[in-house]
Amino acid sequence: MMNGEDDMKTTMVAVVLIALTVGAQAGELASAKAASTPASGGMTINLGSTDDKRDVADKAVLDQAVTLIASHRAQDALDLLDPLVTTLEARYKDRPEKLYCSHGTAETLFYMVSASVDDKGAVALDYPFCDAYFMRGFAEIDLGRHAKAEADYAHALALAPNYPHYLSEMAELYSMHHDWAGALKYYTRAREDAPVYSPEGKANFELGRALRGIGYVDVELGNLDEAEAMYRRCLEIDPKDQKARGELGYVLNLKARQVGLGK
């Protein structure tokens, strides 16, 4: 049962998401993103990027790092990402507001409303700040530095706690260490957040990834009926999801073998 604060928070989030849909259809959101909106108690919530020129430069570094990681040059990527993280941390360390970064408007508005409920100032930055942590973590995994990777993923999630891609990547890291409870926790959060907070056009991709992850954990835990349900749901979302189709076949074969063994 929700307490009064939770109930108010849920109501405010619902109102904002409804307003988002209506405003976007009416073309009103573009002007709202650049504005500063006064909230209760004199708090100001700031939407949008704080410095476009710096964001462009930061994104260029991130793009270089992504290319290097894709080319299996993780250490070279870290040589770019380490100073970028240091620069971004120094840039924002004295900001008095709660910092978030966002990959889409619904995500931004949710963070801003959450901060207003808590009566805290907040600013939604563009994504380079959190992606710098995330990509550094990704590179560290390639180098076998999993503890550092987990710390960087945690930093990214502190800035973007509802971003499903980060949630699924953290879940995958837990899966690598057979921490099924941890993996299930983050995959479940990704499944819940994907339909609402994914970037435009990515909701089905992120939802399918989370469901496949849950299915994988269920297989490892021996919960084959639950795993089958996850993979079938993936195929309902995307009939061309070959990963889910292959995993479903594997699960059905396991179940058939169990029946043959009299389980």
Side-chain angles (χ1 to χ4, degrees):
M1 175 178 284
M2 292 188 295
N3 59 33
E5 181 177 330
D6 289 338
D7 192 39
M8 179 176 67
K9 188 170 185 177
T10 299
T11 301
M12 292 182 69
V13 171
V15 169
V16 166
L17 293 180
I18 292 170
L20 167 62
T21 301
V22 175
Q25 290 174 345
E28 298 170 357
L29 189 59
S31 60
K33 285 188 69 176
S36 294
T37 307
S40 60
M43 186 193 75
T44 297
I45 54 177
N46 301 305
L47 305 182
S49 176
T50 55
D51 190 319
D52 289 341
K53 291 182 180 179
R54 290 191 298 191
D55 284 338
V56 169
D58 297 339
K59 290 173 184 177
V61 174
L62 285 171
D63 287 343
Q64 293 178 52
V66 169
T67 299
L68 290 169
I69 292 170
S71 302
H72 307 290
R73 297 170 58 187
Q75 185 57 58
D76 290 336
L78 286 179
D79 291 342
L80 292 176
L81 293 167
D82 282 338
L84 177 59
V85 169
T86 299
T87 296
L88 291 168
E89 288 178 338
R91 184 184 303 168
Y92 298 119
K93 68 181 178 66
D94 294 326
R95 292 295 295 256
E97 311 98 329
K98 170 68 175 175
L99 296 181
Y100 293 99
C101 65
S102 175
H103 301 74
T105 307
E107 188 187 7
T108 299
L109 290 178
F110 178 77
Y111 297 152
M112 297 300 96
V113 171
S114 298
S116 71
V117 171
D118 295 333
D119 200 28
K120 296 178 181 178
V123 59
L125 306 170
D126 207 346
Y127 66 82
F129 194 14
C130 49
D131 268 14
Y133 285 118
F134 172 72
M135 292 310 305
R136 188 169 72 172
F138 203 89
E140 286 162 341
I141 288 175
D142 280 357
L143 296 172
R145 303 169 185 171
H146 289 191
K148 289 185 176 180
E150 183 178 355
D152 274 332
Y153 281 180
H155 277 299
L157 280 168
L159 292 162
N162 291 81
Y163 187 47
H165 189 71
Y166 293 169
L167 292 167
S168 287
E169 288 290 348
M170 182 69 96
E172 190 166 322
L173 179 57
Y174 278 91
S175 288
M176 292 172 67
H177 293 274
H178 296 182
D179 183 343
W180 307 124
L184 187 60
K185 170 186 173 182
Y186 283 100
Y187 277 132
T188 299
R189 286 177 56 189
R191 178 182 65 180
E192 293 169 350
D193 289 340
V196 180
Y197 303 116
S198 295
E200 184 176 356
K202 294 290 187 181
N204 283 349
F205 174 84
E206 295 295 351
L207 179 57
R209 183 184 184 193
L211 292 170
R212 287 195 306 271
I214 293 171
Y216 178 81
V217 173
D218 282 331
V219 170
E220 293 297 324
L221 295 175
N223 302 325
L224 299 186
D225 288 342
E226 291 84 348
E228 179 183 349
M230 290 298 104
Y231 294 132
R232 290 194 184 279
R233 176 65 180 131
C234 288
L235 292 171
E236 290 175 4
I237 296 167
D238 179 10
K240 296 181 180 179
D241 187 340
Q242 295 303 316
K243 291 181 179 179
R245 192 172 300 279
E247 292 298 328
L248 176 60
Y250 175 72
V251 169
L252 293 176
N253 284 335
L254 285 178
K255 293 178 73 173
R257 287 172 57 190
Q258 288 180 353
V259 171
L261 292 173
K263 182 173 179 179

